[in-house]
């Protein structure tokens, strides 16, 4: 008899526990919803349960859960504004979400350079962090969601993290790049900004791709049992990205690549798969995806140039894919630290892409110059650049970073002079009588210093592979 009563109590408790209206943990008090669109909102309840949704900006919706108890609606959102809103969801019980802002939402992901918080790493500072943190209380219209950095072997439905208001107490532990990016948008657009941060130091790009997708890569291999999570495909996608899929965003900023540098030739395929699969899963169109070039760093071996080749692959991806951009860090590296301290400049450069491409704020040069073509003379070679409206400059300093070679591809440092009135430099070296090839900043660590007049660094490049690519 006693056992029967206990069993009945357990059954009743189980039913009562299940009979609750739930909203995905991606949604919580203090969140930002994307403005001027139909945002997704979803959750769970009993199967075939009627669910109603009401917002304080005037939307009323009804739906019914499916056989598995999931419900989802699309809610029209107004123009961005700083008025706090609320959402009430009623099913078998009710959920009341408060202090909701309408504005712009961006997802930030990658490895340790995206993870690096405003207060820095041990013995590795972030410049201008003290000023940013001390002024954060003035940016309460910026809201942040930090996803817990955990791997999972299977896809997880719920986000481990909660939305917070940007304050001096909350922002120090948040991604410096993401904050500086978001703060620039906040100042320029004058609407609330939502920043979702899901990154993990040391991870390869494959860790962030859905299992079914990553297995289609040409170089895919089943991970060994000894492989750590940072080298295991899909495990951070499962726990940190999958629960976010569907949360309506404007775009993605991505800072990763160091962990993939030894597979530089394979990296374009990996990133095309990652970007393409994310856009397909989100099912909200061709949103923007902005990457950060890995910064100059020595990596220990002076003969190693795999980081230079990884940067080359990053630029190929950006030039090939639609709505994908890349910002250069060619002037921000540190020979001793893989985490450059000038995160503010990186965040701001990412914002220039977004402000121009996504928000149509014009009037300034937002791209780094790229190599265009060469013109060979008897004992010199001229290099032309594109994506630089007012030309190039070294800001009155001696130009560094150029090397030239003849047919034998033996490179020597080159003297460089800007050609007056042209977007070009003339190169020559006493060691190369008949120059044919050029390299610029094409080392793991370099101090190349050519920029656009707007102050954006020229992307590193080499020309000795162009003939092979053109065949």
């Amino acid at each position: 008899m006693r056992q029967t009563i206990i069993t009945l109590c357990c059954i009743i408790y189980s039913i009562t526990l299940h009979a609750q209206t739930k909203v995905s943990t991606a949604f919580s008090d203090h969140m930002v919803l994307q403005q001027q669109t139909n945002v997704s909102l979803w959750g769970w309840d009993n199967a075939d349960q009627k669910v109603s949704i009401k917002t304080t900006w005037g939307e009323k919706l009804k739906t019914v859960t499916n056989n598995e108890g999931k419900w989802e609606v699309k809610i029209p959102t107004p123009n961005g504004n700083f008025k706090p809103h609320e959402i009430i969801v009623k099913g078998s019980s009710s959920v009341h979400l408060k202090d909701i802002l309408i504005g712009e939402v961006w997802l930030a992901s990658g490895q340790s350079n995206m993870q690096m918080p405003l207060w820095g790493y041990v013995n590795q500072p972030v410049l201008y962090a003290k000023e940013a943190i001390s002024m954060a209380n003035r940016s309460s219209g910026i809201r942040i969601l930090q996803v817990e950095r955990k791997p999972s072997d299977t896809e997880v439905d719920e986000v481990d993290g909660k939305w917070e208001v940007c304050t001096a107490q909350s922002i120090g532990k948040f991604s410096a790049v993401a904050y500086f990016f978001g703060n620039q948008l906040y100042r320029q657009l004058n609407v609330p900004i939502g920043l979702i941060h899901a990154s993990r130091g040391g991870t390869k790009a494959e860790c962030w791709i859905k299992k079914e997708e990553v297995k289609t890569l040409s170089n895919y291999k089943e991970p060994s049992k000894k492989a750590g999570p940072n080298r295991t495909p899909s495990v951070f996608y499962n726990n940190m990205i999958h629960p976010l899929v569907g949360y309506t965003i404007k775009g993605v900023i991505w800072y990763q690549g160091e962990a993939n540098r030894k597979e530089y030739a394979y990296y374009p395929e990996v990133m095309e798969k990652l970007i393409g699969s994310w856009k397909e899963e989100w099912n909200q169109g061709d949103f923007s995806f902005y990457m950060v070039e890995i910064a100059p760093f020595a990596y220990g071996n002076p003969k190693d140039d795999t980081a230079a080749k990884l940067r080359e692959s990053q630029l190929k991806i950006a030039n090939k894919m639609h709505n994908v951009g890349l910002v250069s860090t060619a002037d921000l590296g540190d020979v001793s630290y893989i985490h450059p301290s000038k995160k503010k400049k990186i965040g701001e450069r990412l914002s220039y892409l977004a402000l121009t491409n996504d928000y149509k704020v014009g009037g300034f040069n937002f791209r780094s110059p790229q190599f265009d073509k060469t013109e060979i003379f008897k004992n010199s070679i001229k290099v032309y650049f594109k994506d630089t409206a007012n030309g190039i400059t070294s800001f009155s300093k001696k130009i560094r970073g150029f090397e030239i070679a003849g047919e034998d591809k033996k490179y020597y440092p080159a003297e460089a002079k800007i050609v007056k009135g042209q977007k070009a430099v003339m190169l020559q070296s006493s060691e190369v009588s008949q120059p044919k090839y050029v390299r610029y900043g094409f080392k793991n660590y370099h101090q190349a210093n050519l920029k656009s007049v707007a102050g954006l660094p020229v992307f590193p490049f080499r020309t000795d592979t162009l003939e092979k690519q053109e065949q």
Side-chain angles (χ1 to χ4, degrees):
M1 181 66 178
R2 185 170 178 271
Q3 183 62 43
T4 303
I5 293 172
I6 293 173
T7 303
L8 285 171
C9 287
C10 289
I11 293 171
I12 292 169
Y13 176 76
S14 176
I15 293 171
T16 304
L17 185 66
H18 183 66
Q20 292 180 346
T21 304
K22 290 182 63 180
V23 174
S24 167
T25 52
F27 307 96
S28 67
D29 295 347
H30 315 305
M31 67 180 172
V32 177
L33 296 178
Q34 180 64 37
Q35 67 172 329
Q36 297 176 282
T37 189
N38 294 316
V39 301
S40 295
L41 181 73
W42 68 89
W44 296 268
D45 207 321
N46 294 323
D48 301 318
Q49 173 69 50
K50 292 181 180 179
V51 179
S52 65
I53 298 93
K54 182 180 179 180
T55 76
T56 55
W57 63 89
E59 298 298 332
K60 296 180 181 179
L61 302 96
K62 293 182 179 181
T63 188
V64 178
T65 60
N66 63 19
N67 292 335
E68 297 177 348
K70 185 173 182 180
W71 58 268
E72 182 172 359
V73 294
K74 294 284 189 179
I75 307 175
T77 53
N79 292 338
N81 62 81
F82 292 95
K83 179 183 178 181
H85 289 285
E86 299 179 10
I87 296 176
I88 298 174
V89 180
K90 289 185 177 181
S92 60
S93 61
S94 63
V95 177
H96 193 173
L97 300 175
K98 304 174 183 178
D99 190 30
I100 301 165
L101 298 182
I102 310 296
E104 293 296 310
V105 182
W106 286 81
L107 170 62
S109 189
Q111 59 179 105
S112 59
N113 267 307
M114 183 61 84
Q115 178 183 324
M116 191 174 190
L118 268 172
W119 57 37
Y121 292 140
V122 177
N123 299 329
Q124 298 179 64
V126 171
L127 296 181
Y128 306 109
K130 181 179 68 176
E131 293 85 349
I133 294 171
S134 66
M135 298 293 286
N137 289 350
R138 293 189 178 185
S139 301
S140 61
I142 297 177
R143 305 295 174 84
I144 57 176
L145 170 56
Q146 174 64 61
V147 181
E148 192 68 25
R149 298 181 187 94
K150 295 178 181 177
S152 174
D153 292 330
T154 57
E155 292 180 353
V156 173
D157 290 329
E158 290 282 60
V159 173
D160 191 353
K162 293 288 184 183
W163 283 92
E164 297 180 81
V165 178
C166 175
T167 66
Q169 288 70 40
S170 66
I171 201 63
K173 63 181 181 294
F174 196 72
S175 164
V177 168
Y179 174 74
F180 285 126
F181 166 79
N183 191 51
Q184 188 76 356
L185 296 186
Y186 184 63
R187 293 166 57 193
Q188 294 295 325
L189 301 177
N190 194 32
V191 296
I193 302 295
L195 300 171
I196 303 171
H197 177 217
S199 69
R200 164 72 178 245
T203 50
K204 300 185 74 170
E206 292 89 336
C207 297
W208 300 96
I209 304 175
K210 188 179 180 73
K211 187 174 292 186
E212 292 81 358
E213 297 290 341
V214 79
K215 285 184 174 182
T216 65
L217 293 170
S218 63
N219 201 33
Y220 176 78
K221 295 178 181 178
E222 286 291 336
S224 70
K225 293 181 179 180
K226 295 181 180 180
N230 289 0
R231 295 295 183 271
T232 303
S234 307
V235 294
F236 289 103
Y237 166 86
N238 290 340
N239 196 60
M240 298 180 69
I241 297 300
H242 183 261
L244 296 168
V245 170
Y247 194 105
T248 307
I249 59 175
K250 188 69 173 183
V252 174
I253 56 173
W254 173 264
Y255 195 166
Q256 191 276 340
E258 296 90 346
N260 286 81
R261 66 185 178 85
K262 293 183 178 180
E263 297 87 30
Y264 58 84
Y266 174 57
Y267 194 66
E269 181 189 353
V270 174
M271 285 307 299
E272 286 179 39
K273 179 65 68 175
L274 185 150
I275 296 168
S277 62
W278 281 22
K279 290 186 179 185
E280 183 177 351
E281 284 190 84
W282 249 269
N283 193 30
Q284 62 169 71
D286 188 20
F287 56 74
S288 296
F289 193 105
Y290 299 134
M291 305 184 297
V292 181
E293 177 188 63
I294 63 171
F297 174 66
Y299 290 98
N301 183 357
K303 295 182 179 181
D304 180 14
D305 64 356
T306 52
K309 291 173 179 175
L310 192 283
R311 293 183 199 110
E312 183 179 55
S313 290
Q314 289 180 308
L315 189 55
K316 287 178 182 177
I317 297 160
N319 286 337
K320 179 180 179 181
M321 298 189 74
H322 187 252
N323 272 0
V324 175
L326 179 70
V327 298
S328 179
T329 59
D331 58 338
L332 305 179
D334 189 315
V335 67
S336 301
Y337 293 102
I338 198 170
H339 306 115
S341 61
K342 298 176 182 177
K343 293 292 192 284
K344 187 171 189 285
K345 285 194 174 184
I346 296 172
E348 289 175 346
R349 288 173 185 176
L350 286 165
S351 78
Y352 300 153
L353 292 179
L355 287 168
T356 303
N357 295 330
D358 299 283
Y359 303 110
K360 310 307 177 187
V361 178
F364 61 91
N365 197 344
F366 64 98
R367 287 196 184 101
S368 278
Q370 290 192 48
F371 167 79
D372 187 15
K373 62 182 180 179
T374 58
E375 185 178 359
I376 298 175
F377 297 89
K378 184 178 180 181
N379 63 349
S380 61
I381 185 168
K382 186 190 284 190
V383 180
Y384 294 87
F385 298 92
K386 58 185 178 180
D387 292 339
T388 174
N390 291 326
I392 51 175
T393 180
S394 62
F395 292 93
S396 300
K397 295 180 180 179
K398 183 178 179 180
I399 299 173
R400 301 189 301 267
F402 282 100
E403 298 174 288
I404 59 175
E407 188 69 39
D408 59 4
K409 295 188 179 180
K410 291 183 179 180
Y411 281 92
Y412 297 91
E415 181 182 345
K417 292 183 178 180
I418 294 172
V419 181
K420 190 174 181 180
Q422 298 183 28
K423 301 170 187 177
V425 294
M426 189 68 78
L427 307 175
Q428 59 183 156
S429 169
S430 59
E431 302 290 337
V432 184
S433 58
Q434 293 182 305
K436 183 176 182 180
Y437 302 112
V438 180
R439 294 194 306 202
Y440 171 74
F442 207 80
K443 296 180 178 180
N444 284 355
Y445 178 75
H446 65 80
Q447 294 180 308
N449 65 341
L450 195 63
K451 298 183 177 183
S452 69
V453 172
L456 297 176
V458 171
F459 282 114
F461 66 91
R462 57 176 172 168
T463 66
D464 53 16
T465 60
L466 293 179
E467 294 170 341
K468 200 176 291 185
Q469 292 171 10
E470 290 168 357
Q471 288 176 357

